[in-house]
Each structure stands twice: as structure tokens, then as C-alpha cells.
Amino acid sequence: MDSIHICGGYPLYGETRIQGSKNAVLPILAATVLVDGVSTLKNCPDIADVRCMVRLLESVGCSVERRGGQIRVDAGCIRETGLPREYVIRMRSSVVMMGALLGRMGKVTISYPGGCVIGKRPIDMHLQSFARLGVELKEEGDTLTAQAKCLQGGLIRLAFPSVGATENSILAAVLAQGETQIENVAREPEIDALCGFLCCAGADISRTGEDGSTLSIRGGNTLHSCCYHIPADRIVAGTYLLGCMAAGGRICLKEAEPRELTALLEVIEGMGGRFSYGQNTLTLTAPKRPQALSHVCTAVYPGYPTDLQSQLVAALALAEGESVVEETVFENRFRVVPELVRMGACIRIKGNRAIVKGVASLHGSRVRAMELRGGAALCMAALAAKGESWIDDRHFIDRGYEALEQDIRNLGGRI
Ligand code: UD1
């Protein structure tokens, strides 16, 4: 059944463990292609995007074995350089297989990647970075071939600290000859996780520059077998915290990493939420009704994450007063708003801003997920909305949430 049924209007009380991070595990799975041996990854979430990345690895000749949260990848017999369109168009992160295959094989053929419909999402910066390392690009229809006789380290300066372009640049540079400097890199924790895995396998990567915005890579080291633990998913943790702000109550998250959630925690405190910290636990006590926020703006890390923007709009829909949420990372990321309005929210879109006039309550409704985080935001709104809600097209949500139903039940929601 492709819908989620929630009976809402009750505060949340309970605790749950946060799954491994989707945005960390995907580039790390791609990075296993560079390893001359077996990579063992622990705490991998069992989500659709991970299954898709596993198919991509298998399609180029990796042998992959999954047991519970552990995935072992043996990249010893890679032979293919063409990535099957069927999997590439399912998710945008398939694009990081480009850097990995270029590093390992010196060649890759790929169709333009798919993913959530949240703007144009070009890959021009990824391609410019490859060119700086000596890669030649050829485009035929929607198929792209990238090839280098010998990848050579170089200086890459990203026009914008794109997460994917940073990952692709790292992956292409790690086995290249000589040194690579990548300037204006993304500082998201998922970049540190990727570098952590690669260094664990023997790569030489360090962050330099006053604010850590440059990565220096000494290329050419052979990468060896290693074991790496995937960190907790900060966006899943943030989703449940905002769900609790919408519905009220008190929830405890195990294994969430507060240091990666600073911007969100400040925003929630501004809405009247209170936190307490235990060993490996984060507890939120939500007010009966959240306070409005005059202006929240999404930004690259360590700013407020765009991946938690829809969930914030859902919580502010119930706040006392008017809030403004500005989206600066992606265009077209307010697709959830008309669905929230169906539930009784009062939200207007003006350019890249959502003006949210808080209402005292939402009502259950039949709504439709249109992308991953917007779909999760609808579930959070449904927990707060009085009565029954159905969220259709749940497959978008399954791309990123391993056990949404179980988590919500653990938190006391009726789903
Ligand atoms: C990653 C995350 C996604 C998150 C986003 C921003 C993964 C799997 N996905 O996506 O969940 O929302 O970071 O934190 O980790 N851009 C260009 N040209 C490029 C590359 C990007 O114009 O070559 C633009 C994009 O269209 C977008 C902005 O840069 O407007 C940010 O994109 P980017 O940081 O690259 O996001 P993703 O890596 O796609």
C-alpha cells in the first residue's frame, strides 16, 4: 500500500533510536569502488536509496553482501564503466559514482541523474571539477562520457560549496597523481564522514584554511580494506524534533548528534522548545503551542538545513503568530505548502519565502507526498492534526526513512 495512515491530534511521548545517515552512506558506498579490498560499513540504513546505490555497485562488478545494518563491498572485480540508466535516474546521488569510477577506472558513462524534484539541480560544478583533474567530457543526448588517460591532481575552486560537487571532487582526486586542493568546499558533516572513511582506508586528506573551507588531498595512496561506522542521520533526528514541536509532548532521541544540529536546536529554542542532554540522548520538551519566528533562512552548513525547511514550515503552521521562512539553497522547495493548506494551514508563498500565519489547530486530510522531505513534513503535520490523515505516494518518504512507522509508534504517535 503506497500510503501512510495517521490518527493525529495527540502530543508525542516516547523515545527512539536514530538510523544511520542517508546522505553520509551514499557517497561512502560510492567510495568503496576506490578500495583495493573489502569495505565493511556498519549502521547502514535499509532505505530505497541505499538499495539503489547497491544495485549501481553490483552493476559495475562489485560484490555486495548485506547483513542487518552491515554492508560489505568487495570492489576487487570491477570491470564496467557504464552505469545503468534505470538506477541512475532514480536518485540524484548516483552522480557521485562518476568521481569514484573515474578514480578507479579512468572512465565513466552515465545518463543525467534523477532525484527529488526541487529545482533544476544541474551538475555543472561537478563537471568543471573533473576537467581541472584532466578529465575530458563528451555529451551525446542525455548520456555523458567522462574519461582521463591519467588523472592528475590540481586546483579546484568551487563557485558554490555544493555538497555533491565536493564529494565528487574528493572521489576523483584521491587516487589521482599528485596533490589536489579543493577550495570553497561544503562543510556538511557528511563530507567529514566521507573523508573519515577514505582516511580510514589509507587516503591522505586534510582540511585547511581558517574556516576549514579548503581540502588538501595527497593522491595516489592505495586504499586498503577497512571498517567504518555510519553516523546518525541528522535530518531524520530533526524531522522528529519538529514533529514534536508541531504535536507537543516530550521525546527522547538516542544516538542523535546535537553538535551537528546546532542551527536547528537554536531555532527550536526560539519556538519555545527546551532540550536536555544525556549520554547519547537528546530530549526535547515542546511547549503546548510553538512561538512564531520572525525570519528563518536556509543556508549551507552550519546554517539552517534546507532538508529541514518543509518540516519547520509544518511546525510553524501551528505557531502563535506569523513566521517567515526563506529558502536560499534550492528553488521550488515549497511544494508541500498546498498540501499543508489542505490540512487547514495558512501559508502564502512570495518568491523564495513562505509566510506562515499560525493557526490553533490543523485537521486530518488526504494529502500527497511529492518529494522526500516534504512527504516527511506531511507526516509530522498529520501527527499534530486532529483526526485521520492519509499521506499518499509514501515511496518518496521511503527513500530516506528506514522505519518511519516504528519510530512514530516508539514516539507515541498513532500510525
Ligand atoms: C545534497 C544532499 C541534499 C541536500 C543538499 C543541500 C545528498 C545525497 N543530498 O544534495 O539532501 O538538500 O546537499 O544541503 O547528500 N548546484 C549547481 N551546480 C552543481 C551542483 C549544485 O548549480 O553542479 C546547485 C543546486 O542546484 C542547488 C545548490 O547548488 O541549488 C546546492 O546543491 P548541492 O549542495 O550540490 O546539493 P546536492 O549535493 O544535490
Side-chain angles (χ1 to χ4, degrees):
M1 202 173 60
D2 198 32
S3 67
I4 295 173
H5 179 206
I6 289 176
C7 199
Y10 308 96
L12 299 176
Y13 289 96
E15 63 173 45
T16 201
R17 180 192 157 272
I18 297 301
Q19 67 179 67
S21 161
K22 163 177 113 51
N23 288 356
V25 76
L26 293 173
I28 291 176
L29 278 169
T32 62
V33 161
L34 299 169
V35 176
D36 194 14
V38 177
S39 307
T40 307
L41 306 180
K42 295 190 169 171
N43 198 35
C44 299
D46 187 11
I47 49 176
D49 278 16
V50 166
R51 289 191 285 274
C52 184
M53 189 57 95
V54 166
R55 293 285 166 273
L56 284 167
L57 290 173
E58 287 172 338
S59 72
V60 294
C62 293
S63 142
V64 187
E65 205 185 282
R66 173 153 204 154
R67 258 195 222 143
Q70 180 171 298
I71 298 182
R72 289 178 88 238
V73 184
D74 184 345
C77 341
I78 290 194
R79 32 176 206 277
E80 292 295 329
T81 54
L83 293 165
R85 186 181 150 80
E86 178 193 353
Y87 298 115
V88 168
I89 58 172
R90 272 193 214 169
M91 60 169 189
R92 176 164 168 94
S93 333
S94 55
V95 75
V96 291
M97 282 295 284
M98 280 192 89
L101 276 175
L102 274 170
R104 175 73 185 259
M105 308 290 282
K107 185 177 176 188
V108 60
T109 305
I110 188 172
S111 325
Y112 274 100
C116 277
V117 201
I118 46 174
K120 284 197 224 102
R121 305 186 84 175
I123 57 165
D124 53 323
M125 281 188 263
H126 302 236
L127 304 183
Q128 281 156 16
S129 301
F130 294 148
R132 302 290 296 172
L133 303 178
V135 173
E136 284 179 18
L137 300 159
K138 213 167 72 195
E139 235 178 297
E140 268 173 88
D142 78 338
T143 304
L144 198 66
T145 301
Q147 196 164 7
K149 279 204 182 74
C150 170
L151 275 176
Q152 193 67 47
L155 176 65
I156 296 171
R157 184 168 169 79
L158 298 174
F160 172 87
S162 148
V163 173
T166 302
E167 290 164 348
N168 247 336
S169 307
I170 296 169
L171 291 167
V174 159
L175 298 184
Q177 298 288 315
E179 213 170 303
T180 298
Q181 282 235 353
I182 316 170
E183 293 177 355
N184 198 26
V185 291
R187 287 181 291 158
E188 269 69 1
E190 293 75 30
I191 303 294
D192 291 328
L194 174 62
C195 295
F197 165 76
L198 288 165
C199 290
C200 176
D204 184 345
I205 309 173
S206 51
R207 252 189 209 277
T208 51
E210 256 171 43
D211 53 356
S213 63
T214 299
L215 283 174
S216 302
I217 302 174
R218 228 183 269 276
N221 290 4
T222 304
L223 303 190
H224 51 72
S225 299
C226 78
C227 180
Y228 192 78
H229 185 93
I230 302 298
D233 195 307
R234 64 192 171 102
I235 304 302
V236 171
T239 300
Y240 298 154
L241 293 175
L242 289 165
C244 181
M245 287 304 287
R250 180 183 159 95
I251 62 166
C252 171
L253 303 182
K254 289 187 273 184
E255 281 167 49
E257 180 46 84
R259 272 172 304 184
E260 296 180 355
L261 287 164
T262 317
L264 172 72
L265 301 192
E266 274 173 19
V267 159
I268 289 182
E269 280 173 343
M271 293 162 78
R274 292 294 165 258
F275 290 101
S276 60
Y277 306 90
Q279 211 184 13
N280 241 0
T281 61
L282 171 63
T283 302
L284 166 66
T285 307
K288 276 223 160 63
R289 196 175 165 194
Q291 287 149 34
L293 297 168
S294 55
H295 184 211
V296 183
C297 188
T298 64
V300 297
Y301 193 84
Y304 188 88
T306 172
D307 284 355
L308 288 172
Q309 181 257 99
S310 306
Q311 302 88 317
L312 176 64
V313 169
L316 289 173
L318 286 150
E320 231 168 322
E322 192 173 280
S323 309
V324 176
V325 179
E326 184 178 349
E327 172 59 54
T328 68
V329 181
F330 288 110
E331 54 193 30
N332 198 13
R333 211 175 187 180
F334 287 125
R335 298 184 85 206
V336 72
V337 166
E339 302 302 298
L340 289 173
V341 169
R342 271 174 197 271
M343 299 172 102
C346 180
I347 309 171
R348 269 182 309 128
I349 302 298
K350 230 176 160 188
N352 67 341
R353 289 166 184 238
I355 295 126
V356 188
K357 205 166 165 191
V359 293
S361 65
L362 296 177
H363 52 78
S365 195
R366 179 150 223 140
V367 290
R368 192 154 80 86
M370 293 188 199
E371 36 88 16
L372 167 59
R373 304 303 173 187
L378 290 174
C379 294
M380 298 306 113
L383 287 169
K386 293 200 171 103
E388 292 181 75
S389 291
W390 286 264
I391 297 101
D392 291 338
D393 285 349
R394 65 166 296 166
H395 59 272
F396 286 111
I397 302 169
D398 293 338
R399 289 190 45 207
Y401 294 79
E402 178 174 45
L404 186 87
E405 276 103 330
Q406 194 52 53
D407 284 343
I408 287 181
R409 269 184 217 118
N410 292 346
L411 296 174
R414 304 176 190 191
I415 181 163

